[in-house]
Amino acid sequence: MNTITSGFFRQCAVAFSMLVALTVILGVAYPAVVWAASRVGSNSAEGSQVTDAKGCNAGSTLIGLDPKAPAATPDSYLHARVLGSDDDPMAPGDPAASAASNQGPNSETLAHNIAARRALIAQREGVAPSAVPAEAVTGSGSGLDPQISPEYAAIQIPRIARASGRSQEAVRQIVDAHTAGRQWGFLGQQRVNVLEVNLALGHTVCK
């Protein structure tokens, strides 16, 4: 009887010890290590937030924004590609609506929107419609791209320079400073982060 009782309590002690040990390891130590690792050298765990010169949260490096200049104010912003899934060809887009428009290559609505966007951008930038890159008038699968191609940024430089009072070379240097190369040297294409360029141009969200 004593042997059975002592064996039972010994097993209970082992089970309790394992419970405490695994609780400490898996319930405290492991989550703490993961939490710490997610915050070392990166703020991506907090949404990759970006602050402007005044310390205000201006957005995220991962989510596209297409700012609009106030009425009767020279447009000195770098603009993004189509964002969200708005069917209105001129809509600024809503990054919260990240689904694609589901308009296929034979869609008359898509063709109309692309033509309207190309004409609007060409007029805004003072270039021929043929100079407007395809990605400027079409959205991505996610509808959230924070970057544009260097080609789309290039046709915007003269307008930004005129509106901001800078030289085209100065604006080009800002764009180049926020242009990332291909990932690992061979994946994807070069890309310009729209938000980072606009912040470098001195734009702020603070009132």
Side-chain angles (χ1 to χ4, degrees), residues 3 7 9 12 19 30-32 39 43 67 74 77 139 150 166 188-189 196:
T3 301
F9 283 112
C12 287
L19 174 63
Y30 177 73
R39 284 155 178 79
N43 67 344
Y77 286 101
R166 292 179 169 89
Q189 300 293 330
E196 292 178 355

Side-chain angles (χ1 to χ4, degrees), residues 157 161 164-172:
I157 288 175
S164 64
R166 292 179 169 89
S167 67
Q168 292 191 31
E169 181 58 28
V171 176
R172 186 173 292 106

Side-chain angles (χ1 to χ4, degrees), residues 52-80:
D52 61 19
K54 296 183 178 180
C56 295
N57 186 356
S60 168
T61 59
L62 304 176
I63 299 177
L65 293 172
D66 189 17
K68 300 301 175 185
T73 301
D75 185 358
S76 59
Y77 286 101
L78 182 70
H79 291 288

Side-chain angles (χ1 to χ4, degrees), residues 152-175:
Y152 187 24
I155 68 171
Q156 299 186 60
I157 288 175
R159 169 184 51 78
I160 294 172
R162 290 192 304 270
S164 64
R166 292 179 169 89
S167 67
Q168 292 191 31
E169 181 58 28
V171 176
R172 186 173 292 106
Q173 289 178 359
I174 292 175
V175 171

Side-chain angles (χ1 to χ4, degrees), residues 98-131:
S98 61
S101 65
N102 292 326
Q103 300 292 338
N106 296 323
S107 168
E108 293 183 1
T109 300
L110 179 62
H112 172 269
N113 288 351
I114 287 176
R117 289 166 184 156
R118 179 171 284 114
L120 176 68
I121 294 173
Q123 181 181 25
R124 185 187 70 198
E125 307 303 341
V127 298
S130 59

Side-chain angles (χ1 to χ4, degrees), residues 32 48-50 66 73 77 85-88 94 99 144 148 204:
S48 297
Q49 299 177 35
V50 178
D66 189 17
T73 301
Y77 286 101
S85 57
D86 288 295
D87 290 328
D88 181 352
D94 179 7
L144 299 176
I148 59 176
T204 177

